[in-house]
Amino acid sequence: MSPSPARPCTAFAGMRLLRRGPLADVALAVKAATEAGESVLVFDDATGRLIDLDLRGSDPEILARLDPPSTPDATESKAPGKGRGRPKLGVVAREVTLLPRHWDWLAAQPSGASATLRRLVDEARRRGAPQQRRSAQTAAYHFMQALAGDLPGYEEATRALFADDRAGLEQTTAGWPPDVRDHAIHLAFDAVNKPEAD
């Protein structure tokens, strides 16, 4: 299964950042660069792993391969009607299926079912923060291994990465090509710490 055309990724031509953004945009930039004779690597920003692109054919053909037709599921086939929720605020109403004892418990909560569910989801997301840190470190490690494994200070940089030491990582990668250093730090720390709007 190929990554989604909207999946964030980054392309490097040698040690130079070529393009960062949705896979569809990056793929077209990579095609142009390879046609100009550059050797390019594309990384999935979520995992830090290399993405293999099929760049044969025209731009529309490449984009079509990235976005194969999908079979509509039952929820998409329903005719759109006036939905519930507050779309202007980004609130979308969807169906939740619970057992009667769950509905009874939600009904007994002072803040109401929706507010209680939002609070429970937020708490679960906060508890998942260590896993997000680990995923960010792993993504940065895969990227560094592929592109910076032969650079000076690589071993020290990986130790700083897994020690969650941003200052140490910045210091040990100071002599690296700027685009490689900046992207490794971005994957390790910045991508996971982006604030979300409530």
Side-chain angles (χ1 to χ4, degrees), residues 79-154:
K82 175 123 173 81
R84 299 165 86 185
R86 296 179 180 169
K88 288 184 181 178
L89 299 176
V91 177
V92 178
R94 293 190 184 159
E95 182 179 339
V96 175
T97 306
L98 300 173
L99 295 172
R101 68 177 183 266
H102 299 137
W103 285 116
D104 293 341
W105 182 84
L106 280 171
Q109 301 306 306
S111 59
S114 293
T116 301
L117 288 172
R118 286 192 296 270
R119 180 179 47 79
L120 291 171
V121 168
D122 287 340
E123 287 174 7
R125 290 179 69 206
R126 278 192 292 278
R127 283 194 306 271
Q131 179 57 41
Q132 290 176 325
R133 282 292 321 126
R134 181 65 179 173
S135 295
Q137 289 169 335
T138 302
Y141 172 74
H142 289 306
F143 167 74
M144 289 166 51
Q145 186 180 39
L147 212 53
D150 293 331
L151 294 177
Y154 170 76

Side-chain angles (χ1 to χ4, degrees), residues 20-54:
R20 176 185 287 152
L23 180 58
D25 295 344
V26 171
L28 297 180
V30 169
K31 180 185 180 213
T34 56
E35 286 175 346
E38 293 191 80
S39 177
V40 180
L41 296 175
V42 180
F43 296 90
D44 181 328
D45 287 350
T47 65
R49 294 193 182 273
L50 289 167
I51 297 174
D52 189 23
L53 296 175
D54 183 353

